[in-house]
Amino acid sequence: MRNPRRSRNLAWLTVVASVAAIWIAFRMPDAGQGFTVQSVLGIGGICVLPFAFVLAIMRTAEARRYVSLARGKGLVARWTVSPTEWIAFVAGNAALDAERGGANLIDLHGTSATNGVDVVVTRDAISVGGDFHPFERNVAITIGPDWVELDQFVSDPNGSDANLHYRFPMVPEAAPAMERLAYDNAAAYQAALANPWTKVWVVLGLVGVLLFAVVVTLIFAA
């Protein structure tokens, strides 16, 4: 993504629109039973609100990481890939996709390499030629001969787990910093798993989202 602040604003706009739809539905005269504008607004707003609220929180967190990266906060490494190196990497990316078992999600073809490609890595995000991606502590970092890959595992309770691959060229001088990042993230992730409060906070967060939607609905229904 180029700028998560745009998707953050869109997500919060959807939250506001959902709340407005619920408010209008409960303030409209009773239209009776059946498929009516009132029912569409009310049911649609109630269904969309929890998902929009969760998405807005996620996008807000991503936007904060984006701003932190732009300010250099938590900087791990920074380097510039020459146009020649970038073109060679893009040319060999399809072979690496097959070898690594996953498509590279970095926007390779949408990045201009005329003046080189700037790569910025912080403790929880990367920017490759302006293409921004956050990552979590459970990311796996693989260092190749002239590239580095971040493999982000995403768990889905429904069983459709996924791995997100972010692969980009790396200069040799950045290898020690990326190795330290891999070690620090692995240690932090294991510490989080060992913390008995980790799952409690996750559950409380989900319950809080549901309560928010219920409270909003009850307020407008009163």
Side-chain angles (χ1 to χ4, degrees), residues 15 18 22 44-57 209-210 212-214 217:
V15 171
S18 301
I22 297 172
I46 292 172
C47 292
V48 171
L49 180 57
F51 298 99
F53 186 63
V54 171
L55 182 62
I57 292 175
V209 171
L210 294 175
F212 171 78
V214 171
T217 304

Side-chain angles (χ1 to χ4, degrees), residues 160-186:
S160 55
D161 297 338
N163 286 77
L164 309 179
H165 301 271
Y166 306 109
R167 191 184 321 111
F168 44 93
M170 183 187 67
V171 296
E173 295 79 8
M178 297 304 296
E179 290 173 353
R180 284 197 305 272
L181 177 63
Y183 176 83
D184 291 343
N185 275 356

Side-chain angles (χ1 to χ4, degrees), residues 1-3 86 89-90 93 103-113 117-118 126-133 165-169:
M1 69 184 81
R2 292 295 169 179
N3 190 339
W86 181 260
F89 176 80
V90 172
N93 181 68
N104 186 6
L105 299 181
I106 295 296
D107 184 13
L108 301 178
H109 300 286
T111 300
S112 174
V117 177
D118 288 329
I126 56 172
S127 175
V128 182
D131 186 23
F132 172 83
H133 296 277
H165 301 271
Y166 306 109
R167 191 184 321 111
F168 44 93

